[in-house]
Amino acid sequence: MNDWWRDAVIYQVYPRSFADGNGDGTGDLTGLTGKLGYLKELGVDAIWLSPFYTSPLADGGYDVADYRDVDPRFGTLADFDEMIARAHELGIKVIVDVVPNHSSSAHPWFQEALEGRNRERYIFRDRPNDWESVFGGSAWTQVADGQWYLHLFDPTQPDLNWENPEVRAEFLDILRFWLERGVDGFRVDVAHGMIKADGFPDVGPREGCQVELLEQERLPYFDQDRVHEIYREWRPLLDEYDAMAVAEAWVESPQRLARYIGPDELHQAFNFDFMMADFDAKSFRVIIDKSLAEAELVGAPTTWVLSNHDKYRHVTRYGSLARAKAATLLMLALPGSAYVYNGEELGLDEVLDLPPELREDPAFLRTGHSRDGCRVPLPWSTGAWPNPWLPQPERWHAITAEIQESDPDSTLNFYRAAIRLRRGFGGGILWLDAPDGVLFFRRGDRQVVVNISEHPVPLSGNVLIASGPLTAGGELPPDTAAWLG
Ligand code: NOJ
């Protein structure tokens, strides 16, 4: 079996914001094709594309109206074919998103349902229960004839009814469609969501909103045991094409997450605990140990991720670029695969001051929290993106890819060097004694030091790479990491 994904660096492309091939302000597939050389030079093994399918873009494309076509704003199927062919020529694998929990309300199936036909493809009820949408408010919306439909996300994202064999067959066919076009894998959106508890029981009164309970208890609409039947149905198809799949599943414990992985289910699951960890040695250490132990249980390496299109960029979460680069060097030294979010290699921070009228995230409209700030188009060069769909902040003019290209000390060149050097790591990790606030471990013949304390740390060994300058005396300053070998 081809298990390239086990220690891969996988680069997430948010197509709308990555690169604009036709100058209309929205990123597209030809823009991506034009940047594959850049990604090759960055050294990534694979790209994962967030949705580029036909969509009203009510939730950035996670509201799919046609699962087998490209939205005209992103290009055409021919552009996709050209992109994947070029990626494969360069030795870059391609993973696409599949969104099975819900479709767009613009999908022909839901349009039919609104007309009163074939409603059993979705979840219609005469009365709502107390389930809440992840984006805030009730998870039910009433239609003209009085029935209610379920949407765990925005009302424009009606949940599909996975108890209906027609839905199951349709998705097997959708997977095959993209496998036939050559994709190497799938990222499964809301992989914990498709099966709802029998009888649709109320959650019951709780303090705060239901989504906050996700990490403590099982909600009747997430992580139901029978969701695994679906992956057991998908796996033979994935195997037929030697393809992998990674689950986006928010569940209450690493043990529950591990259940999504295995020789008859999916290959990987995102390890969001690492992304949610504080910039703190203890917090990182606990999560690394827990994740590695769980990975061992299921015989599949874990994944590491610091930023994606749903969370504040890690430069902003940790408060500085220095800390972000130190965390990146930690992530890239760990066994398993690492997911890099487009723009983090430029050191981009979150754009917090976008005017409210430009924000598009449906969660913003319902809860006041917005994910638009990590979706601002990438600064390739000054003037490269004449009319970006979200405005780029002035400060990014100093850190365009073009400027960073020729600066040996740039964040971009740091990522390139780290990704290249990462290939020299092998084996598991062995923790070594270290002062408080310092992470220190050995992997094979290399050592990794991450200084999250307030004091410089002496280093002994040859420094292969550091996330920032050492002190004049050759010590590792606070908020800095190094690999020694
Ligand atoms: C998870 C995706 O990452 C997020 O962007 C989206 O809003 C929800 N799933 C709903 O599809």
Side-chain angles (χ1 to χ4, degrees):
M1 189 198 162
N2 179 2
D3 55 2
W4 59 269
W5 43 271
R6 286 182 172 265
D7 57 1
V9 175
I10 300 167
Y11 184 95
Q12 181 188 354
V13 172
Y14 195 71
R16 196 177 182 187
S17 305
F18 182 64
D20 181 5
N22 63 3
D24 67 354
T26 295
D28 46 40
L29 294 173
T30 51
L32 166 58
T33 305
K35 296 294 180 197
L36 288 169
Y38 166 91
L39 295 175
K40 176 75 186 162
E41 212 174 315
L42 183 57
V44 305
D45 302 290
I47 51 176
W48 148 37
L49 272 71
S50 279
F52 49 82
Y53 314 113
T54 314
S55 165
L57 300 187
D59 182 21
Y62 284 93
D63 49 318
V64 182
D66 183 348
Y67 287 88
R68 297 182 187 80
D69 206 351
V70 174
D71 191 275
R73 281 165 287 192
F74 299 134
T76 60
L77 278 172
D79 294 337
F80 179 86
D81 292 343
E82 205 179 311
M83 183 280 296
I84 197 169
R86 180 75 189 125
H88 285 165
E89 254 168 45
L90 292 170
I92 298 174
K93 308 271 186 196
V94 177
I95 297 174
V96 297
D97 232 294
V98 59
V99 189
N101 180 68
H102 44 263
S103 74
S104 162
S105 52
H107 191 287
W109 276 10
F110 193 72
Q111 290 301 311
E112 269 183 36
L114 285 181
E115 290 161 14
R117 287 179 294 131
N118 296 317
R119 282 207 171 156
E120 62 287 352
R121 291 165 175 159
Y122 293 91
I123 301 176
F124 278 83
R125 288 283 175 278
D126 291 334
R127 272 178 302 281
N129 62 10
D130 72 352
W131 296 358
E132 288 174 8
S133 150
V134 172
F135 292 162
S138 170
W140 298 89
T141 290
Q142 195 165 28
V143 297
D145 61 22
Q147 278 212 314
W148 301 73
Y149 68 90
L150 180 70
H151 52 85
L152 294 181
F153 293 87
D154 193 63
T156 61
Q157 294 166 296
D159 278 50
L160 287 156
N161 175 16
W162 278 80
E163 306 292 349
N164 180 345
E166 191 188 1
V167 171
R168 295 196 182 210
E170 174 72 355
F171 273 87
L172 281 170
D173 195 64
I174 291 165
L175 294 179
R176 193 181 287 281
F177 178 88
W178 292 103
L179 288 165
E180 281 290 317
R181 294 199 109 84
V183 305
D184 302 285
F186 297 94
R187 178 264 192 191
V188 185
D189 188 62
V190 199
H192 54 311
M194 285 103 98
I195 296 293
K196 280 65 180 182
D198 279 346
F200 292 71
D202 278 342
V203 173
R206 290 290 202 286
E207 296 244 326
C209 56
Q210 288 173 7
V211 71
E212 284 164 10
L213 299 171
L214 255 184
E215 284 169 23
Q216 299 143 41
E217 62 177 274
R218 201 159 326 134
L219 293 165
Y221 43 89
F222 282 139
D223 194 28
Q224 298 298 305
D225 289 343
R226 284 197 308 110
V227 81
H228 296 282
E229 284 171 10
I230 297 169
Y231 303 123
R232 289 196 284 269
E233 233 175 78
W234 286 11
R235 184 58 184 252
L237 177 62
L238 296 173
D239 285 347
E240 194 184 320
Y241 289 85
D242 212 1
M244 59 79 80
V246 53
E248 186 231 10
W250 294 84
V251 297
E252 84 236 31
S253 67
Q255 286 85 343
R256 293 292 301 182
L257 190 62
R259 294 164 51 113
Y260 288 77
I261 305 164
D264 60 348
E265 294 205 23
L266 303 177
H267 301 71
Q268 289 188 323
F270 285 113
N271 174 6
F272 291 124
D273 288 345
F274 187 65
M275 178 166 72
M276 304 308 274
D278 293 331
F279 189 78
D280 165 89
K282 220 179 256 155
S283 168
F284 279 132
R285 165 97 193 238
V286 167
I287 284 163
I288 291 170
D289 281 342
K290 241 176 30 182
S291 313
L292 292 174
E294 288 309 323
E296 208 152 293
L297 272 184
V298 294
T302 188
T303 63
W304 310 101
V305 52
L306 287 167
S307 285
N308 67 22
H309 65 293
D310 288 331
K311 296 287 171 210
Y312 276 11
R313 286 185 176 274
H314 67 286
V315 171
T316 303
R317 285 204 322 275
Y318 298 149
S320 71
L321 179 60
R323 287 181 164 195
K325 287 169 71 181
T328 296
L329 217 47
L330 168 62
M331 170 173 85
L332 292 176
L334 295 170
S337 50
Y339 283 77
V340 170
Y341 178 52
N342 60 193
E344 73 171 79
E345 78 280 13
L346 301 177
L348 300 188
D349 56 352
E350 189 77 8
V351 183
L352 295 169
D353 55 359
L354 288 170
E357 65 277 13
L358 295 183
R359 291 178 187 260
E360 294 204 4
D361 182 0
F364 176 64
L365 303 174
R366 291 170 72 107
T367 65
H369 175 76
S370 152
R371 298 168 296 173
D372 296 293
C374 59
R375 300 174 179 178
V376 174
L378 262 61
W380 292 105
S381 60
T382 306
W385 206 313
N387 185 24
W389 72 276
L390 283 173
Q392 297 161 325
E394 285 279 313
R395 61 181 180 278
W396 286 8
H397 289 163
I399 52 167
T400 61
E402 184 183 51
I403 289 174
Q404 295 202 37
E405 179 73 49
S406 51
D407 173 2
D409 295 325
S410 67
T411 308
L412 175 59
N413 282 316
F414 161 74
Y415 264 76
R416 285 173 174 163
I419 292 172
R420 195 176 58 243
L421 276 166
R422 169 188 154 88
R423 298 190 194 288
F425 277 108
I429 76 175
L430 177 71
W431 292 104
L432 303 169
D433 282 343
D436 267 1
V438 177
L439 294 167
F440 186 25
F441 62 83
R442 167 179 289 288
R443 248 193 104 191
D445 53 7
R446 289 183 176 180
Q447 291 178 357
V448 175
V449 194
V450 186
N451 184 4
I452 308 182
S453 78
E454 286 170 5
H455 311 284
V457 176
L459 296 175
S460 55
N462 174 36
V463 176
L464 300 172
I465 186 168
S467 62
L470 303 184
T471 65
E475 295 182 312
L476 189 70
D479 295 340
T480 312
W483 296 350
L484 312 174

